Amino acid sequence: MRIVVCDDEPLARERLVRIVQESGHEVVAQATTGAEAIIAVKTQQPDVILLDIRMPEMDGVRCATALNELEHPPAIIFVTAYDHYAIAAFKANAVGYLLKPANKDELLEALGKAKSLNAAQLNEIRKLEDPTARPIREHIAARTHRGVELIKLTDIYYCTADQKYVKVRHKNGFVLIDETLKELEQEFGARLFRVHRNALINLSYLDFLETIDPGQYQVCFKGIDETLSVSRRHLSALRDKIQSV
């Protein structure tokens, strides 16, 4: 793949360039600021950009937002020393988020994801479906003791409000995220369905609606034994949704 590397730290940039080249990919340009990266992308038309976040003049998130407005944007992989930008990064349509110093295996895995379906391809698909559609994330980012953990939307069973956080139940356990249920519902409304003021479920894992007492219902999931209560307010909409699937 043709790759642009953008990092204002020379040693970090050189390390990424070395890993990319040793892996058989081509570095078509290097940049030290977001503004330089945009120029490099416009002139070189790369498949992927490896992008730092904390940079002078224009940071990586602002740069990514600008790149996504191009007719053929590259796939964006952030490589940064800071884990707290993950949510902003994926809202900017990043396909990867690596913490420095990113090792070769992590970088190659991220490049593999970018190669399978890069941001330009996703953008073209969305244009065909809806010319006004904004980029849609396929992951939710959570900060854990391991750093930033990316949870595939397709691996999520449900999300529930947990005080000031949201608890996400996925195939490998639970994580807490800073986003609200309302934000998740607005962004992923076609896939995450509200069954209670404190709960969203992934319709892909909905098994059946069960009556537990007169007027009381709960949803059961495929693959796990857990259940969630359904409020009367959302019961009718859920029944309609089940019948339409």
Side-chain angles (χ1 to χ4, degrees), residues 138 152-158 171 188-195 200-208 219-224 238 241-242 245:
E138 291 298 325
K152 291 182 180 180
L153 192 63
T154 53
D155 288 345
I156 294 173
Y157 291 106
Y158 61 81
K171 287 188 175 180
F188 304 113
R191 300 162 79 175
L192 297 180
F193 192 84
R194 189 176 289 272
V195 296
L200 300 173
I201 66 169
N202 188 336
L203 292 169
S204 299
Y205 294 107
L206 173 61
D207 195 4
F208 58 90
V219 288
C220 300
F221 297 91
K222 302 172 185 175
I224 57 174
L238 179 60
K241 191 69 176 180
I242 293 173
V245 174

Side-chain angles (χ1 to χ4, degrees), residues 53-54 59 61 80 82-90 97 143:
I53 290 184
R54 291 283 291 272
D59 65 32
V61 174
T80 178
Y82 304 91
D83 64 2
H84 54 278
Y85 292 101
I87 292 174
F90 284 95
Y97 190 98
R143 291 193 292 272

Side-chain angles (χ1 to χ4, degrees), residues 2-129:
R2 293 165 50 81
I3 297 173
V4 168
V5 177
C6 179
D7 196 310
D8 64 318
E9 299 177 8
L11 292 178
R13 189 172 64 253
E14 291 168 7
R15 183 173 185 274
L16 290 175
V17 169
R18 184 175 66 253
I19 294 176
V20 167
Q21 292 176 335
E22 289 176 350
S23 303
H25 300 292
E26 179 186 4
V27 176
V28 296
Q30 299 182 41
T32 60
T33 69
E36 289 181 8
I38 292 172
I39 294 173
V41 167
K42 288 181 177 179
T43 56
Q44 297 296 330
Q45 294 292 305
D47 301 301
V48 179
I49 181 169
L50 303 181
L51 189 59
D52 190 16
I53 290 184
R54 291 283 291 272
M55 295 183 294
E57 298 180 27
M58 176 185 283
D59 65 32
V61 174
R62 288 171 58 204
C63 175
T65 301
L67 291 176
N68 280 320
E69 294 177 356
L70 299 177
E71 184 177 359
H72 298 291
I76 299 167
I77 299 173
F78 285 105
V79 186
T80 178
Y82 304 91
D83 64 2
H84 54 278
Y85 292 101
I87 292 174
F90 284 95
K91 286 185 176 179
N93 202 31
V95 299
Y97 190 98
L98 307 179
L99 292 179
K100 293 180 180 179
N103 63 48
K104 183 176 181 179
D105 290 339
E106 291 174 333
L107 183 54
L108 291 182
E109 182 181 356
L111 288 174
K113 292 178 181 178
K115 185 176 182 180
S116 64
L117 188 61
N118 66 33
Q121 292 170 311
L122 287 173
N123 192 50
E124 290 303 311
I125 291 170
R126 293 186 189 111
K127 283 182 180 179
L128 291 174
E129 294 175 342

Side-chain angles (χ1 to χ4, degrees), residues 223-241:
I224 57 174
D225 294 331
E226 300 158 37
T227 60
L228 286 179
S229 297
V230 179
S231 69
R232 294 183 179 181
R233 177 181 176 183
H234 296 95
L235 179 60
S236 178
L238 179 60
R239 281 175 167 164
D240 291 343
K241 191 69 176 180

